[in-house]
Amino acid sequence: MQNHPFNWIATTIAALAIGIWLFTSYGMIHEEHMEEAEVSTKSHNDEGYFIEVEDKKVHVKDTSTWMLLEEGQTYNITYEWYGMKKPYVTAVNQAHDDDQVGGH
């Protein structure tokens, strides 16, 4: 059997595509920031504490933060996720709050 150059090229392209997909899915942390996002619901179960913001269910790891959030109120929320992990809150601030660190 002969090794055709096409087989090597196709194999190389497939390996690169799989490598890029794995890196973007599991190697990168994705982050999203929402301005004036309204907390529509709060919930908790055996898996943790959650809020629903703009039709997205987001995990709140810090229970003190979860307790301070109120349904129907607007906040500036930053959350991130990677791989198959659930999105989780990394920063919360009241909307229109200029007293935060670095505020004007």
Side-chain angles (χ1 to χ4, degrees):
M1 247 196 236
Q2 286 183 325
N3 286 333
H4 293 289
F6 176 76
N7 291 341
W8 287 105
I9 293 170
T11 303
T12 303
I13 290 172
L16 282 172
I18 291 170
I20 291 170
W21 178 78
L22 285 171
F23 177 73
T24 56
S25 295
Y26 295 97
M28 290 179 56
I29 296 176
H30 305 278
E31 180 178 270
E32 186 170 330
H33 181 73
M34 295 184 280
E35 295 282 334
E36 298 183 29
E38 183 177 334
V39 175
S40 55
T41 60
K42 291 172 53 175
S43 62
H44 64 89
N45 56 31
D46 292 340
E47 295 178 13
Y49 292 83
F50 300 91
I51 57 172
E52 189 168 327
V53 183
E54 297 180 1
D55 298 327
K56 295 181 183 178
K57 189 174 184 180
V58 183
H59 184 223
V60 182
K61 291 183 177 182
D62 182 17
T63 56
S64 298
T65 301
W66 182 84
M67 290 171 42
L68 290 173
L69 297 173
E70 296 179 18
E71 292 180 359
Q73 296 296 318
T74 57
Y75 301 92
N76 296 337
I77 298 175
T78 303
Y79 66 93
E80 62 185 34
W81 73 96
Y82 61 93
M84 301 304 288
K85 298 288 185 181
K86 294 177 181 162
Y88 59 92
V89 173
T90 57
V92 176
N93 196 23
Q94 289 181 322
H96 308 294
D97 183 12
D98 293 332
D99 293 333
Q100 66 182 352
V101 175
H104 302 290

